[in-house]
Amino acid sequence: MPLLEVTDLRTYYYTLRGVVRAVDGVSFTLDRGETLGIAGESGCGKSTLAWSILRLVPPPGRIVGGSIKIDGMDITKMSEAELRRKVRWRKVSMIFQGAMNAFNPVLKVGDQVIEPLLLHTDMTREEAWAKAEEMVQHVGLPPEILERYPHELSGGQKQRLVIAMAILLEPDIVIADEPTTALDVVIQAQILNLMKRLYREKKMSIILITHDLSVIAELAEKTAIMYAGKIVEYGPSDAVFENPLHPYTQALLKAVPRLRGPKERLIYIPGSPPDLRNPPRGCRFYPRCEKRFEPCDREEPPMVEAEKGHFVACWLYARR
Amino acid sequence: MGEKVLDVRDLRVWFPVRRGLIETITGRARLYVRAVDGVSFDIRRRETFCFVGESGCGKTTTGKALLRLVPITGGSALFRPSKEVAEELEKRGVTIDEDGMVDIFKLNEKQFHPVRRDIQMVYQDPFGSLNPRFRVRDILEEPLIVHKIGETKSERLEMVSRALEMVKLTPVSEFIDRYPHQLSGGQRQRVAIARAIIMNPVLVVADEPVSMLDVSIRAEILEVFNLLKERLGLSFIYITHDLSTARYVCDRIAVMYLGKIVEIGEADDVIQEPLHPYTEALVAAIPEPDPRNRLKFRDIKIKGEVPSPVNIPPGCRFHPRCILYEEAIKRGEEWAKLCTKAEPPLVEVKKGHYAACFRHEAVRAAVTAKAAGGS
Ligand SMILES: Nc1ncnc2c1ncn2[C@@H]1O[C@H](COP(=O)(O)OP(=O)(O)OP(=O)(O)O)[C@@H](O)[C@H]1O
Ligand SMILES: Nc1ncnc2c1ncn2[C@@H]1O[C@H](COP(=O)(O)OP(=O)(O)O)[C@@H](O)[C@H]1O
Ligand code: SF4
Ligand code: SF4
Ligand SMILES: [Mg+2]
Ligand SMILES: [Mg+2]
C-alpha cells in the first residue's frame, strides 16, 4: 500500500466570476521514503494541490471530488478534529510558499516554531522548546536563534527555521511548496543540500513543488508535470528529463537556460496557459501545442503508461 | 561591438542610515548603507553588459544611478549621447568633450532631462510597470509626447507601430488597442521593451526583466533583446541574479559583491573559468535540469551569508566568507595575509578578464606597487 494515494482529486474555487478548476482530476501515489517533484507554470494548481493534501484549501476553495488516502485512511472524509490529531504535522507537514516572510515580527521566532507542538501534542512549553532546539540544530542553526526576533534573521536562516518546523514531529511526508524560490542561488543550494541530508537521515518522503525544473532534478526521484490543473506526465525523473514524452514537457525542457554544456538556442512556448474558469475542451495544452492533431481539441487524452512506470496524457500515445 | 558609449569610474551611492535619538544625542558618526561602493566599468555600442550577484549587492542601485534615480555620492559617468540629445545638451550650455562624451553625473536636473531619452529602463515586474488604464498605443505614445518627438499624431502612431514590430508584437493591429490585462506576461514585457526603445535610445537598463516570467516564456524576451541589439545597435545593461540566463544574452559579465565589482570578463570566460572565489561559488550553486545531480551534495565554497552593507569588512570585503583565504591562512601562505589588510583592486589577470582577488599575483603586485609609490 502506498503511503499516499491521490485519486482523481478535484479542488475548485467558487469565485464571484466563475469556478476556477485549479486541480481537476489529479492522481498519483507516493511510497515511503520517496521524493516526488511536481513542476508546472505559475497558476497551474501546484499550491492548491499541496493545500488539498493537508485539507487546508482557503475559501472560496473546496475539495469537490476524489480521494486522498494516507496510510489507507481517506482524509477527505475525516473530521477536522481527527485531522488535527492524526494527520497534520504528524503524518504530513508543509513548508508553505513564502512562509519565511510570514513570521510575526513581535514574537520571538522560537515561540512561533513550537506552536505546532503545542497545538498537536501534549508537550509542555519547556519540552516543546527543547525539541525545537534539537530540530534547529538539524537544519544547521545554533539553538540560541530561537530567542531572536524575525527581523534579526537573514532570509536563509528564516527558511531553515521553516524547514525545522516542518520536521518537528518527524512526519512521514513533508510537502515543500517553492521552498527555494525567493532565495539567492547560494542559499538555494545550501537549502537543497540540507533537504538532501534530511531526506537521507530521516527517511522522510518529500513532495517538492516548484516551477523550477532544475530544482526538481536536484532532489526528486519521480517527477510529475502539471499543466492547467492536471498532471500531464509522470514517471521516474531520469525518464521524464531524458526522454520527455508530452509535448509540453519537451518544450519546457528546451526553454530552460543552462549554465553548462553547449549553448543551444532556447525555445519558448507561444501564448499562455488557459483560464482555469474556462479551460479548452479536449487537451488543455491544445492551443499552444506544436504537435496537435485531429482528436486533440475534442476529447481529453487519457493517461497511459507509455513505458514502464512512465505515464503521459497525450493523444500521441493513446489509442482511441 | 563598437565604440564606448558609457564609461563609469568609481561610482559610489551611499544611503545615510536613519539615526535614532540616542545616536543623535551622543553624536555618533553618521552611518551609511554603502550600496554601491566604487564601481568602474565601460559599455560599448552593440554590447550587452551584465551585472550578476546576490540580492542587495547593488545591481539595481548601479542601474538607477545611470538614470539619476538615486543620489550620486561620488564618481563619474562619461556617456556618448545621440546626435539629437547632444544638440539639446549644447542648447542647455553643456559642453561635450572632443571625444563626444559628457559626464552625466555633473549635469543639473534640467540639463539631464534630455539624457532620459537616451537611457531607458525596463523593470522586473511586467504587471506593475504598465498603467492598467492605458491601451498599448497610449503607453507607447506617452514618452513621445513627454519628449516632444513626432510632429503629428499620425507620425507618432507610425513610430508606435514600428516599435511594436521591433518587439514582434504582430500583427500590430491585433495588439495596439489592448489593455495590459488583455496581454500575457511575456507580451506585457514586450510592451515595456517597446516603450523603452521607441525613442531610439543609446542604452537600455533592464533590471531582472525575466525573473517574474514563467520559464516557458523567458526565452521569448531574451530573444527580443538579442534581436534589438543586432538590428538597432543598442547597448544593454542586463541585471540579474541568474547566471544561466546571462549566458544567453550577455557579451560581458560583471560580478558584484557588497557594492563592488569583483570580476569582469567575457561571459563564457567568467562562467567557465571564474577567477574570483565568489564567482566560483555562484557558478557551483546553480542547479541544472539534470537528474544525475540528484542526491549529490553541491560543494559550494562559501561560508555564511552576505554581511550588512553598513558594516563592510575591512581588507577584502569577501574575506569573512572566503574559504580560499581561510585555507591559505591555515597552510601559512604569506599572500593571504593581504586579504585582511588591503582592498584588492580589479586588475586584468588574463586578457580582457579582470578580478579583484589576491590569489592572483597581478593583483598583489598592483597593491604593493601602490604602497611603494605612496610611501
Ligand atoms: N533608497 C534606499 N535607502 C537605503 N538603502 C537602500 C536604498 N536602496 C537600496 N538600498 C540598499 O542598498 C543595497 C543595494 O540594493 P540594490 O537594490 O541595489 O540591490 P540589488 O543588487 O539590486 O538586489 P536585488 O537582487 O535584491 O534586486 C541594499 O542593501 C539595499 O537595502
Ligand atoms: N484563494 C483563491 N481564490 C480564488 N482562486 C484562487 C485562489 N487561490 C488560487 N486560485 C486560483 O487557482 C489556480 C491555481 O493556483 P495555485 O494553486 O496557487 O497555482 P500555483 O501554485 O501552481 O502557482 C489559479 O488560477 C489561481 O488564480
Ligand atoms: S493531446 Fe494533442 S494537443 Fe495535447 S499535447 Fe498531445 S498532441 Fe498536443
Ligand atoms: S582577496 Fe583573499 S579574501 Fe578576498 S576573495 Fe581573494 S582570497 Fe578571498
Ligand atoms: Mg504556488
Ligand atoms: Mg535589484
Side-chain angles (χ1 to χ4, degrees):
Chain A
M1 181 171 61
L3 179 58
L4 172 70
E5 186 171 13
V6 174
T7 312
D8 200 26
L9 180 69
R10 283 162 211 276
T11 306
Y12 297 172
Y13 294 96
Y14 291 84
T15 69
L16 293 177
R17 293 209 265 123
V19 181
V20 181
R21 296 147 98 183
V23 173
D24 204 16
V26 163
S27 305
F28 66 89
T29 61
L30 180 75
D31 287 328
R32 201 168 286 280
E34 192 173 63
T35 44
L36 168 69
I38 301 180
E41 290 177 74
S42 117
C44 74
K46 304 180 298 294
S47 294
T48 306
L49 173 60
W51 296 327
S52 303
I53 298 170
L54 278 166
R55 265 201 34 207
L56 285 174
V57 182
R62 263 202 335 263
I63 296 177
V64 295
S67 65
I68 301 169
K69 289 191 181 144
I70 297 173
D71 271 342
M73 300 180 292
D74 187 352
I75 67 145
T76 62
K77 305 224 157 58
M78 275 185 191
S79 72
E80 189 59 31
E82 208 178 348
L83 266 173
R84 212 170 308 150
R85 220 175 42 242
K86 292 195 190 147
V87 180
R88 283 188 208 137
W89 249 273
R90 274 181 190 282
K91 284 228 165 285
V92 191
S93 73
M94 181 148 166
I95 298 166
F96 288 93
Q97 182 170 5
M100 57 181 256
N101 300 318
F103 281 106
N104 183 335
V106 302
L107 292 180
K108 280 184 191 166
V109 290
D111 285 311
Q112 307 181 57
V113 169
I114 63 169
E115 219 169 275
L117 289 175
L118 300 181
L119 214 66
H120 297 269
T121 69
D122 2 294
M123 281 188 199
T124 63
R125 191 175 177 283
E126 285 64 40
E127 286 164 350
W129 197 275
K131 180 81 188 166
E133 285 188 334
E134 178 196 330
M135 283 306 170
V136 159
Q137 291 175 63
H138 268 297
V139 298
L141 294 172
E144 310 83 70
I145 209 159
L146 293 172
E147 301 283 351
R148 295 209 222 156
Y149 291 89
H151 72 269
E152 297 170 321
L153 303 181
S154 71
Q157 289 171 325
K158 280 190 260 187
Q159 190 62 352
R160 281 172 195 263
L161 279 181
V162 169
I163 293 173
M165 274 173 87
I167 59 170
L168 273 177
L169 289 176
E170 315 213 5
D172 298 326
I173 305 170
V174 176
I175 304 174
D177 189 5
E178 307 275 6
T180 63
T181 300
L183 302 172
D184 271 313
V185 284
V186 171
I187 303 168
Q188 164 169 287
Q190 288 163 346
I191 295 285
L192 287 172
N193 277 347
L194 168 67
M195 289 178 65
K196 288 175 187 179
R197 186 166 60 72
L198 290 174
Y199 160 73
R200 275 194 204 170
E201 285 170 6
K202 304 232 171 259
K203 296 269 172 289
M204 282 179 300
S205 305
I206 297 179
I207 299 180
L208 173 67
I209 295 179
T210 169
H211 69 281
D212 189 341
L213 284 167
S214 308
V215 169
I216 300 239
E218 285 280 314
L219 196 68
E221 292 166 87
K222 285 198 182 150
T223 297
I225 307 289
M226 235 178 132
Y227 187 76
K230 291 183 175 296
I231 289 179
V232 296
E233 179 160 3
Y234 171 68
S237 299
D238 293 341
V240 173
F241 282 84
E242 265 142 46
N243 181 26
L245 298 175
H246 198 281
Y248 177 60
T249 317
Q250 290 169 350
L252 209 51
L253 279 167
K254 286 198 193 122
V256 181
R258 290 163 200 253
L259 191 65
R260 301 167 185 91
K263 192 155 64 184
E264 274 158 41
R265 197 157 162 270
L266 294 179
I267 65 118
Y268 61 90
I269 309 177
S272 42
D275 182 348
L276 293 181
R277 282 172 301 181
N278 188 17
R281 214 161 60 112
C283 172
R284 290 186 178 183
F285 188 54
Y286 161 76
R288 299 172 84 188
C289 183
E290 263 192 347
K291 299 190 176 154
R292 62 187 169 200
F293 58 112
E294 184 268 317
C296 304
D297 64 335
R298 282 187 289 112
E299 236 182 301
E300 208 179 304
M303 184 68 98
V304 296
E305 187 167 8
E307 52 184 45
K308 192 160 169 13
H310 189 172
F311 297 84
V312 61
C314 165
W315 281 119
L316 292 170
Y317 307 91
R319 222 177 292 134
R320 273 192 302 153
Chain B
M1 265 182 271
E3 58 194 350
K4 263 185 205 173
V5 296
L6 180 73
D7 191 348
V8 174
R9 292 296 121 194
D10 201 26
L11 168 63
R12 267 164 295 132
V13 181
W14 294 6
F15 298 103
V17 178
R18 264 217 326 269
R19 286 196 291 186
L21 188 61
I22 299 192
E23 286 93 334
T24 316
I25 293 169
T26 55
R28 254 209 297 195
R30 177 140 223 151
L31 295 176
Y32 291 91
V33 174
R34 284 147 70 180
V36 179
D37 198 25
V39 154
S40 304
F41 60 94
D42 54 54
I43 293 174
R44 297 176 176 272
R45 202 177 295 289
R46 223 182 224 103
E47 176 176 40
T48 303
F49 188 82
C50 175
F51 282 101
V52 297
E54 288 175 278
S55 184
C57 68
K59 309 180 293 292
T60 298
T61 309
T62 302
K64 283 184 173 168
L66 301 176
L67 284 106
R68 300 260 304 253
L69 298 173
V70 288
I72 312 291
T73 309
S76 63
L78 291 177
F79 175 69
R80 184 184 306 284
S82 63
K83 208 164 109 274
E84 298 78 12
V85 170
E87 280 164 16
E88 274 300 313
L89 284 171
E90 276 171 339
K91 267 192 232 157
R92 289 165 203 234
V94 178
T95 25
I96 299 193
D97 71 16
E98 64 272 24
D99 208 20
M101 310 280 274
V102 58
D103 185 348
I104 53 174
F105 290 166
K106 292 224 168 64
L107 307 179
N108 63 37
E109 187 44 44
K110 190 152 172 292
Q111 292 168 328
F112 187 73
H113 180 76
V115 178
R116 291 188 200 280
R117 251 177 83 171
D118 270 352
I119 308 179
Q120 293 286 324
M121 188 126 180
V122 175
Y123 295 91
Q124 173 173 12
D125 180 4
F127 303 90
S129 67
L130 304 177
N131 186 331
R133 282 190 295 269
F134 278 22
R135 287 170 304 175
V136 168
R137 63 163 76 225
D138 309 319
I139 291 169
L140 295 190
E141 198 184 353
E142 190 188 48
L144 297 177
I145 296 172
V146 169
H147 286 277
K148 304 196 179 66
I149 301 171
E151 305 278 307
T152 60
K153 185 110 192 151
S154 71
E155 203 176 308
R156 290 195 295 269
L157 183 62
E158 179 59 31
M159 295 171 85
V160 168
S161 303
R162 237 181 303 138
L164 288 174
E165 271 162 26
M166 275 296 165
V167 298
K168 294 221 237 147
L169 271 178
T170 48
V172 169
S173 60
E174 193 182 310
F175 293 99
I176 196 162
D177 285 316
R178 292 206 199 171
Y179 289 91
H181 74 265
Q182 296 168 319
L183 300 170
S184 71
Q187 289 166 343
R188 273 181 248 205
Q189 200 57 301
R190 287 184 200 222
V191 172
I193 296 169
R195 179 177 58 185
I197 61 156
I198 193 162
M199 292 194 296
N200 211 357
V202 173
L203 175 66
V204 175
V205 179
D207 190 0
E208 309 257 15
V210 300
S211 62
M212 290 193 45
L213 302 176
D214 268 309
V215 182
S216 70
I217 54 174
R218 277 187 193 169
E220 170 181 352
I221 298 304
L222 299 180
E223 190 174 82
V224 170
F225 284 130
N226 283 340
L227 189 91
L228 292 174
K229 182 173 78 171
E230 291 313 321
R231 284 234 203 120
L232 302 179
L234 285 182
S235 305
F236 283 96
I237 291 183
Y238 179 83
I239 295 175
T240 181
H241 60 272
D242 179 6
L243 265 175
S244 37
T245 61
R247 182 176 179 227
Y248 288 84
V249 285
C250 294
D251 298 298
R252 283 187 300 155
I253 291 177
V255 180
M256 279 188 86
Y257 183 76
L258 262 189
K260 260 207 172 337
I261 294 176
V262 297
E263 176 159 0
I264 298 186
E266 302 286 327
D268 287 338
D269 294 345
V270 170
I271 291 168
Q272 281 158 25
E273 295 161 48
L275 296 177
H276 196 281
Y278 179 62
T279 316
E280 281 174 4
L282 278 187
V283 170
I286 290 177
E288 273 168 300
D290 180 352
R292 275 169 300 194
N293 293 333
R294 193 153 46 84
L295 306 180
K296 250 193 287 181
F297 288 94
R298 260 177 206 278
D299 184 18
I300 306 140
K301 291 219 160 40
I302 193 167
K303 294 187 291 183
E305 294 183 27
V306 190
S308 148
V310 177
N311 295 307
I312 291 186
C316 170
R317 56 191 66 203
F318 185 60
H319 87 259
R321 301 182 73 192
C322 185
I323 289 177
L324 182 71
Y325 155 73
E326 190 182 65
E327 287 173 350
I329 286 290
K330 264 194 220 137
R331 286 193 299 265
E333 288 175 28
E334 200 57 31
W335 67 267
K337 289 186 182 150
L338 267 177
C339 298
T340 46
K341 286 205 194 95
E343 178 134 61
L346 194 60
V347 170
E348 186 166 17
V349 172
K350 290 184 183 169
K351 192 166 176 340
H353 195 167
Y354 298 72
C357 169
F358 289 129
R359 85 201 286 184
H360 303 290
E361 169 59 37
V363 180
R364 301 198 288 268
V367 169
T368 25
K370 202 167 146 207
S375 59

